[in-house]
Amino acid sequence: MVDVPLMRALLRALPDKAALLLVGDVDQLPSVGPGQVSADVVASGAVPVVRLTEVFRQAAESRNIVNAHRTNQGLMPELTPVESGDFYFVDADAEEGARKVLAIVQENHNEARPRFRTGSLRATCSRILIPRFAVREF
């Protein structure tokens, strides 16, 4: 999700004799900043491209995968919650957003039988959302 200013800075920092290997996903969501560097490089035909066509990280029916494809097609993601889903939409303003996300994590994170299969999800969210009060679980 590199944007134009970041790619410009990277290219300017490279020594003249350097080689640059770009690895990315042309189908990933666009960068927040200006431009669509990855998609433009691939579309240019100026560089060799290898395209992987099989998803190994998640099931093809994963809501994350389905919604990523919908977004790339210009469609809205499916926001309705699914009982065993892996995609969550939290409708919140900036002030209540972190509180709601942490509540979801606390409700669904059970050491004996975790709904989220990530080990220490609560600690990870704490480090990201409220770093000075982070839970030190590993």
Side-chain angles (χ1 to χ4, degrees):
M1 292 194 281
V2 64
D3 63 16
V4 172
L6 182 58
M7 181 55 77
R8 179 176 184 261
L10 171 66
L11 294 175
R12 291 183 75 171
L14 286 175
D16 290 340
K17 302 269 187 204
L20 176 64
L21 172 65
L22 298 173
V23 177
D25 182 355
V26 71
D27 292 323
Q28 77 182 142
L29 298 175
S31 64
V32 175
Q36 52 181 14
V37 175
S38 180
D40 288 344
V41 168
V42 169
S44 75
V47 296
V49 173
V50 173
R51 183 157 187 130
L52 304 178
T53 58
E54 199 167 335
V55 175
F56 291 100
R57 284 188 315 186
Q58 297 165 307
E61 65 276 0
S62 156
R63 293 281 302 271
N64 281 329
I65 299 297
V66 169
N67 282 331
H69 288 281
R70 288 180 62 83
T71 301
N72 283 333
Q73 294 166 4
L75 303 171
M76 284 294 294
E78 296 174 3
L79 303 179
T80 308
V82 173
E83 176 58 33
S84 61
D86 60 355
F87 179 88
Y88 299 88
F89 175 76
V90 179
D91 189 15
D93 63 30
E95 292 202 14
E96 68 181 332
R99 192 169 52 253
K100 281 188 172 185
V101 169
L102 286 175
I104 290 168
V105 170
Q106 289 170 343
E107 287 171 21
N108 294 286
H109 184 70
N110 177 329
E111 293 297 333
R113 191 170 170 205
R115 179 169 177 194
F116 300 136
R117 309 254 183 244
T118 59
S120 60
L121 183 60
R122 184 179 47 205
T124 301
C125 286
S126 294
R127 283 194 302 275
I128 293 168
L129 297 173
I130 47 172
R132 62 186 166 171
F133 300 111
V135 177
R136 300 292 182 219
E137 295 177 23
F138 295 104

